[in-house]
Amino acid sequence: MTYPEQVKSFLWSDIYEMAKSPGRFAKNPDADFSRKRKLDFENLMRFLIVMESGSTGHEILKYFDYGPNVLSNSAFYQQRKKLLLYAFQHLLFQFNSHFPFEKYKGKYQLVACDGSEFNIA
């Protein structure tokens, strides 16, 4: 397995583990992601990560391989609305835990090098 494949495997396994208890990452833990949907918690997280710069409708078509059982844009927005921001924070920290941490110049933690801002609440 190549290094990029290993990294992707870590990401998908972290999402799979999160999907075992989706209530932790839902606005309404008792109801959200409790029913079987075309876009369940695991696929929603994967979809949000693999989306590119196309329109939502086109990205949905690509994700579902242009098949006949494609969900509507509205269904996607409704599912996305159920997610807590904490889901992405948890995924980021869980994913990063797979890689050894090394401080830059012995004392700095490099978070981003593209001008992004990173705030921990």
Side-chain angles (χ1 to χ4, degrees):
M1 180 182 292
T2 65
Y3 185 71
E5 290 171 337
Q6 186 180 12
V7 170
K8 187 176 178 180
S9 174
F10 282 135
L11 181 61
W12 289 164
S13 68
D14 289 341
I15 292 173
Y16 175 77
E17 289 300 317
M18 289 172 67
K20 289 181 179 178
S21 56
R24 292 179 52 205
F25 311 104
K27 290 183 180 176
N28 184 356
D30 297 328
D32 294 345
F33 303 111
S34 61
R35 293 177 40 200
K36 183 157 177 59
R37 303 272 184 190
K38 289 180 189 176
L39 195 60
D40 59 1
F41 178 85
E42 183 175 3
N43 280 304
L44 177 63
M45 292 294 290
R46 285 178 175 230
F47 176 68
L48 289 168
I49 289 171
V50 301
M51 277 181 76
E52 295 176 352
S53 62
S55 69
T56 303
H58 185 254
E59 293 298 327
I60 291 170
L61 284 170
K62 281 191 335 187
Y63 187 78
F64 287 98
D65 293 323
Y66 300 93
N69 294 326
V70 176
L71 74 151
S72 67
N73 288 7
S74 177
F76 162 68
Y77 296 132
Q78 289 173 33
Q79 286 295 89
R80 185 183 65 180
K81 189 177 177 182
K82 296 175 184 178
L83 276 179
L84 290 173
L85 184 58
Y86 170 70
F88 299 101
Q89 183 182 21
H90 176 83
L91 180 60
L92 173 69
F93 289 123
Q94 189 61 39
F95 176 70
N96 284 336
S97 72
H98 296 289
F99 306 99
F101 174 72
E102 196 172 306
K103 290 191 175 184
Y104 177 68
K105 294 188 177 182
K107 59 181 178 178
Y108 301 108
Q109 180 179 355
L110 181 62
V111 176
C113 58
D114 63 354
S116 298
E117 291 184 22
F118 186 79
N119 296 315
I120 298 177

